Amino acid sequence: MSLSNADLATVSDLAARRRATTTVAQAEALTARVVDTDRLAVSLLDEFRAAWSTGDHDQMTAVILAAIDLDQATPDSPRLMDEIRGIQMPAAA
């Protein structure tokens, strides 16, 4: 079963063709990957915060390296390293 496009007039021809050839299983697999990536990003951010609060520089470095790998593997997702840099920056008053 393929996903259908209810309003072909509002999307480009390329998007319409892509949607017509994408199966429900493919869409669900993509969604699962995004959810897993989001969970990993949240976990890494939590680990970094915990390491930051205790001053564990080795753990912070390990999380940063994992975050860089995740950012490179998922270029269309929000950048985890931007979030980590935000933790390290002092807040503006």
Side-chain angles (χ1 to χ4, degrees):
M1 183 165 127
S2 292
L3 298 176
S4 63
N5 185 3
D7 187 3
L8 292 175
T10 62
V11 296
S12 70
D13 290 338
L14 176 61
R17 274 183 273 158
R18 183 179 296 150
R19 213 177 251 175
T21 60
T22 301
T23 65
V24 173
Q26 289 169 324
E28 288 174 350
L30 177 61
T31 301
R33 265 187 269 136
V34 169
V35 169
D36 289 343
T37 300
D38 289 346
R39 277 191 208 134
L40 177 58
V42 169
S43 294
L44 286 171
L45 200 53
D46 288 344
E47 284 185 44
F48 185 84
R49 283 187 186 119
W52 175 266
S53 68
T54 61
D56 185 347
H57 295 285
D58 291 337
Q59 182 62 20
M60 289 183 342
T61 301
V63 171
I64 287 171
L65 293 174
I68 291 169
D69 288 343
L70 182 62
D71 285 347
Q72 288 176 347
T74 56
D76 296 332
S77 296
R79 311 290 294 168
L80 182 56
M81 279 305 300
D82 291 342
E83 294 289 329
I84 289 173
R85 284 186 196 101
I87 292 171
Q88 295 177 333
M89 298 170 102

